[in-house]
Amino acid sequence: MVAHQTTATADDLRRFQIEQQENGVPTMNSVVSALRFFFTHTLDRPDLARRLVQLAHPRKLPVVLSRDEVARLLNATTCLKHQAALSVA
């Protein structure tokens, strides 16, 4: 956890970020933005705000159906309206 706001160091911030990442905080970039604002505007400590880094999140590719899977899906429908809707999608 970050030390008292007037005595926080760059190492404190780094430990905080690592702890948050290990705990799987999904909004870490929002936390970083809030801390940047806090240190820059509230505490007038832009030196600490510059030490905060945004974390890159790995992006997953979407699942794409094969042609055969799409054909089976369309053939599994019994209603023409559903088949038309799935064909458009």
Side-chain angles (χ1 to χ4, degrees):
M1 189 69 170
V2 177
H4 188 268
Q5 66 255 17
T6 58
T7 61
T9 66
D11 288 335
D12 292 329
L13 291 177
R14 181 69 184 140
R15 279 193 302 273
F16 173 76
Q17 281 190 282
I18 290 170
E19 180 182 308
Q20 295 300 303
Q21 186 178 17
E22 288 172 352
N23 290 336
V25 174
T27 58
M28 190 58 207
N29 288 337
S30 297
V31 171
V32 168
S33 295
L35 286 172
R36 272 196 187 132
F37 181 87
F38 179 71
F39 283 115
T40 301
H41 299 288
T42 306
L43 296 181
D44 195 27
R45 296 277 313 267
D47 57 309
L48 288 177
R50 285 191 296 272
R51 302 295 294 241
L52 293 163
V53 295
Q54 299 281 346
L55 303 174
H57 296 287
R59 297 179 187 247
K60 296 179 182 179
L61 292 175
V63 175
V64 178
L65 299 177
S66 69
R67 288 178 185 253
D68 183 51
E69 290 171 319
V70 171
R72 286 191 332 211
L73 178 65
L74 293 176
N75 290 332
T77 60
T78 57
C79 176
L80 185 60
K81 179 174 84 171
H82 296 158
Q83 189 174 18
L86 288 171
S87 295
V88 171

